[in-house]
Amino acid sequence: MSEIAIGALIGNARVLLARRSSERRTHPDRWSLPGGHVEDGEDAETAMRRELLEEIGVTPQHWLLAGEFVSESPPGASATFHVYHVDRWQDSPRLIGDEHTALRWFTAAEIECEAELAPPQLCEMLLNLLRPETNNQA
């Protein structure tokens, strides 16, 4: 099973999402967190840092593991996702390469209304990160 490491850059009660290119094999034209596959010999944290630099040009400076989940969507493409809450980073996010076509900051209300979020399990996790008062962790 593939392992995917993704980073939720959160600032000013918003999370940065990247729109996946229509050429992507899984979840084309969907909003998602930047990140990618954990490579051989790499842990998920290292992969997240590498992917954020490669995809959006930022260097994470402070992060916490927000959670993990398994996605079976689309069929035949199951993967374990490692989601990191990044609250400090260096440089401004920008599109690099052709994996994404847009970057946009989303509020919790916009996440609730976004039907094109991939994988779908991200919705609840992002809402918990954006609304920490609803998170039961003290």
Side-chain angles (χ1 to χ4, degrees), residues 56-102:
I56 61 172
V58 301
T59 302
Q61 295 183 311
H62 184 262
W63 61 88
L64 295 170
L65 180 64
E68 299 173 340
F69 62 87
V70 173
S71 175
E72 302 288 341
S73 170
S78 63
T80 299
F81 283 79
H82 307 271
V83 183
Y84 291 89
H85 172 191
V86 180
D87 60 3
R88 278 201 321 269
W89 58 90
Q90 185 177 337
D91 298 320
S92 296
R94 65 191 187 282
L95 287 174
I96 296 176
D98 59 2
E99 291 188 38
H100 301 100
T101 58

Side-chain angles (χ1 to χ4, degrees), residues 20-29 35 37 55 98-100:
R20 295 170 62 83
S21 163
S22 61
E23 306 299 316
R24 300 299 299 271
R25 185 173 60 87
T26 57
H27 306 297
D29 287 323
H37 287 79
E55 291 186 5
D98 59 2
E99 291 188 38
H100 301 100

Side-chain angles (χ1 to χ4, degrees), residues 5-7 44-53 60 63 84 86:
I6 52 181
E45 274 188 31
T46 302
M48 178 271 300
R49 294 192 323 264
R50 176 184 51 76
E51 289 283 349
L52 290 183
L53 185 59
W63 61 88
Y84 291 89
V86 180

